[in-house]
Each structure stands twice: as structure tokens, then as C-alpha cells.
Amino acid sequence: LGVSLAGVTEIADGDFSRPAGRPGTDVFDLVGQPERPVVTLKQVHGTFVQVVGGDCGGEAGEGDGLASRDPKLAIAVRVADCVPVFLYDVENAAVAAVHAGRKGTFDRISLRAVGVMEQRFNTVPDALYAVVGPSAGPCCYEVSEEIAGDFRDAGYPVSGRNLDLWRANAQQLELAGVSPSRVH
């Protein structure tokens, strides 16, 4: 157990969103890890990051991020066009998984996730590794002119009416103190 990894799956790989039964079993087999309880959230496009551990399993309430130091748990967020952000604190063996949609990104969920890890796990942001995962990209994430203007006014990268949520989340991580060389 002590291995931390982040991954993105789709239904054909055995994703974690299957209802009853043993969700994610295929995923554990795929990465050669023992099966363990998977913790998810009722995602609400907000900025709450929940810390989980112990005998937790299943749905941990409402929110859009999970953080843990418990190697006996797997944490998972579900995304479609939204951005998954994964954080790994090598020094404190802590991890976080964040669902960064348009609203969560605008409200700085990635920055908040780093803050939660600092407070709960004594994480030093410069020691974090981060992965900004696949989602709707800057070529294709078109929004209304009003929303694009709000993002532009907030200092986020916008091209015409297209948002770059990858770069916006990377900017937040860097603002939180994560070294740009550790944001992938």
C-alpha cells in the first residue's frame, strides 16, 4: 500500500463511477494495486475540499475535492469536461484529488486544496507535485462573452470566448507556492 499514483480512466477501463457492487475493481487490477475502499463525493461545482481517512468509504458528502493521508483508501473525483487536479505531498504522504469545473476554477479550488493540505498535513507547497488532468481544452471550451469577460477580468487565460482551465488551475497552484517545474 504506500504507493501513491494518480490516474484517469474511462468506462471501458473500469471507472470508479459504476454504482453498486465493487466500483473500481478493474482499475486496481489495471495498475497492479490491491483493492481498497474508494471515497467519492457528491460533486456540486464548488470549492469545498474534504479531508478523509479511517474507515471511510463510499460517498463522503458534498464537495469538489478530497484529501487524505490514509494509504488504505483511494480517493476519486468524476469529470467529463471539467479538470481533474491531483496533488501529491511526498514528504507527508498526503494526496488530494480535485474536480475543477468552470465555477470551481473561477473560485480557486486548486488554491484552496493546497491550503487544506497545508493546514491538515503540514504540506509545504514547494514540495508538492501536481498533475492537471485531461478535460475540455482551451481550443474547445467556449463560454458566453460575459463569462469569458469575468475570467479575463480575474486574470485567467482566455482566448476570445474560450477558457483555458488547464492553465488557470496551474496558475492557482503556482500562486499557492507549488513550483512550476512540479506542475504537469
Side-chain angles (χ1 to χ4, degrees):
L1 285 172
V3 174
S4 291
L5 58 94
V8 177
T9 66
E10 57 185 23
I11 290 173
D13 297 324
D15 78 348
F16 289 104
S17 66
R18 287 184 287 185
R22 299 176 354 165
T25 301
D26 298 343
V27 173
F28 292 118
D29 290 342
L30 185 69
V31 297
Q33 289 288 301
E35 187 179 340
R36 62 194 84 168
V38 178
V39 182
T40 60
L41 290 161
K42 178 181 180 192
Q43 295 170 195
V44 294
H45 291 276
T47 60
F48 181 68
V49 178
Q50 170 119 357
V51 177
V52 294
D55 292 331
C56 194
E59 194 172 271
E62 288 188 354
D64 286 277
L66 290 163
S68 183
R69 286 182 61 184
D70 189 339
K72 295 180 196 106
L73 292 178
I75 57 175
V77 292
R78 296 178 184 100
V79 296
D81 56 346
C82 298
V83 180
V85 178
F86 305 104
L87 303 172
Y88 178 48
D89 175 352
V90 178
E91 294 175 14
N92 295 295
V95 295
V98 176
H99 164 253
R102 176 184 52 81
K103 188 174 181 324
T105 296
F106 186 83
D107 292 334
R108 299 179 172 213
I109 189 168
S110 289
L111 181 71
R112 289 176 190 248
V114 173
V116 167
M117 293 181 77
E118 284 180 284
Q119 291 175 337
R120 294 297 296 271
F121 309 133
N122 296 314
T123 293
V124 175
D126 194 51
L128 277 173
Y129 286 91
V131 175
V132 177
S135 68
C139 66
C140 312
Y141 198 161
E142 188 175 30
V143 296
S144 70
E145 187 55 52
E146 179 183 357
I147 291 171
D150 290 344
F151 267 75
R152 197 175 295 111
D153 292 347
Y156 291 122
V158 178
S159 177
R161 290 182 23 211
N162 288 8
L163 305 181
D164 185 346
L165 298 185
W166 297 334
R167 185 70 203 131
N169 282 282
Q171 284 176 342
Q172 290 175 34
L173 294 168
E174 292 168 20
L175 181 63
V178 179
S179 171
S181 67
R182 290 182 173 213
V183 177
H184 303 280

